[in-house]
Amino acid sequence: MAARRAYGAQRRAPYLFLVPAAVLFALFFALPIGYALYLSLRRTEVQGLGLGSGARQEVWAGLSNYTDALSDPQLLDGTLRVGLYGLIVVPTMLGLALLFALLLDADRVAGRRFARLAIFLPYAVPGVIAALLWGFLYLPSVSPLHHALDRFGLPQPDLLDGGPLYVALANIAVWGGTGFNMIVIYTALRAVPAEIYEAARLDGASQVQIALRLKIPIVRPSLVLTFFFSVIATLQVFSEPTTLKPLTNSIPTSWSPLMKVYQDAFGNADVHSAAATAVVIAVVTLVLSFGFLRLVGSGARGGAR
């Protein structure tokens, strides 16, 4: 009998350890998603002037909020802007991360620990703080860079207007995200046995050949992972344009899809439309992520054959 109770306790133990994680998942992940889905299927109906008790009622809306969200030109424009922004951010950030990781992994690199910390340190700066710092460097009236260019009689570009705005926003993301991606790639490089590189050197391979023919193919899974994370972060861009918006008139309230969600919810007091737009963004992100992972997985299986 005692043995049976002990066996039963052992079988229940893993589930008991999972209970705290399951409760946190339900409260802070599943429940907010369910509530957002509920709000997206409702709308507020106003009677008369909308004054007094009972003048505003929440009624069933069906899929009308989703229809409005998918046909909203502001959401489409914001998606196109984020796509152009991502075309600048993702290749630049991953290219620099790979370059820094390869340089730090090379032999006879002086100050490797300091360089690694210096490259990673911007990632520890919160996105809002980073956007404020760079915003003051972009602002012509207070930027020391503009004063220096003016002193030498050089042109002073306005990075907060027109096409350069994409470069300015992308620079903030690249500055903050390169260090994290570099650490991921560098960790993968350090896990490779040194005997592989030594054998390549004995065969007469140079450092460039070792990097191109050995190191980059070996860290390809890490590159895929960082690319995946970078694309998701790009689709969710919010802090940088929102923080720079008071400094320029070139950033509308719906510059990115998440900014439109925020404006609908808190600027227009329409949480139902905001919830529908948020669900659409989440579904699109999920589909793109799943499709990308399937594509990478099928490519890896095809290469293995």
Side-chain angles (χ1 to χ4, degrees):
M1 192 68 176
R4 184 178 301 175
R5 285 198 300 267
Y7 177 72
Q10 289 179 356
R11 291 190 61 183
R12 290 192 300 270
Y15 300 101
L16 293 176
F17 282 113
L18 287 175
V19 167
V23 171
L24 291 176
F25 176 84
L27 289 177
F28 298 103
F29 191 80
L31 186 60
I33 290 177
Y35 187 56
L37 288 171
Y38 169 79
L39 289 177
S40 68
L41 300 173
R42 312 279 290 181
R43 64 182 175 86
T44 301
E45 191 175 74
V46 180
Q47 299 178 358
L49 297 177
L51 303 176
S53 60
R56 293 175 176 267
Q57 294 183 351
E58 193 176 274
V59 297
W60 176 259
L63 299 178
S64 61
N65 289 327
Y66 291 97
T67 304
D68 295 339
L70 292 174
S71 60
D72 193 338
Q74 290 186 343
L75 181 60
L76 177 60
D77 293 341
T79 304
L80 294 176
R81 281 189 288 263
V82 168
L84 179 58
Y85 165 84
L87 289 177
I88 302 173
V89 170
V90 176
T92 305
M93 182 165 55
L94 295 186
L96 289 175
L98 178 61
L99 176 62
F100 289 145
L102 292 173
L103 290 176
L104 291 175
D105 191 60
D107 295 334
R108 300 177 182 177
V109 176
R112 180 179 299 173
R113 291 184 178 179
F114 174 78
R116 188 168 63 236
L117 178 62
I119 297 171
F120 178 77
L121 191 59
Y123 178 74
V125 179
V128 175
I129 302 301
L132 284 174
L133 292 174
W134 282 103
F136 283 112
L137 290 177
Y138 295 151
L139 201 61
S141 58
V142 297
S143 173
L145 300 178
H146 282 264
H147 287 298
L149 292 174
D150 181 51
R151 189 156 192 170
F152 288 101
L154 298 175
Q156 306 169 41
D158 187 0
L159 297 177
L160 295 177
D161 187 29
L165 177 63
Y166 289 92
V167 179
L169 290 170
N171 175 66
I172 300 174
V174 170
W175 180 78
T178 299
F180 171 79
N181 295 305
M182 181 271 297
I183 289 295
V184 174
I185 300 172
Y186 178 73
T187 303
L189 285 172
R190 300 304 293 176
V192 178
E195 292 79 6
I196 297 179
Y197 302 146
E198 187 63 30
R201 293 189 193 94
L202 292 176
D203 289 339
S206 64
Q207 289 289 343
V208 176
Q209 291 174 328
I210 292 175
L212 295 177
R213 299 182 182 180
L214 279 178
K215 293 184 177 181
I216 293 180
I218 287 174
V219 300
R220 187 175 299 168
S222 297
L223 290 174
V224 171
L225 179 66
T226 53
F227 177 81
F228 179 68
F229 286 159
S230 300
V231 169
I232 292 178
T234 300
L235 294 175
Q236 297 177 348
V237 61
F238 177 80
S239 299
E240 293 85 354
T242 301
T243 305
L244 292 182
K245 186 183 178 304
L247 304 180
T248 177
N249 294 324
S250 299
I251 301 179
T253 55
S254 59
W255 191 89
S256 72
L258 285 188
M259 289 180 66
K260 183 184 180 338
V261 172
Y262 182 87
Q263 177 63 23
D264 287 344
F266 301 103
N268 302 333
D270 189 357
V271 295
H272 306 289
S273 296
T277 306
V279 172
V280 169
I281 296 172
V283 170
V284 170
T285 303
L286 179 63
V287 171
L288 290 177
S289 303
F290 182 75
F292 173 73
L293 291 178
R294 286 291 301 270
L295 180 63
V296 171
S298 61
R301 288 192 295 270
R305 293 194 191 98

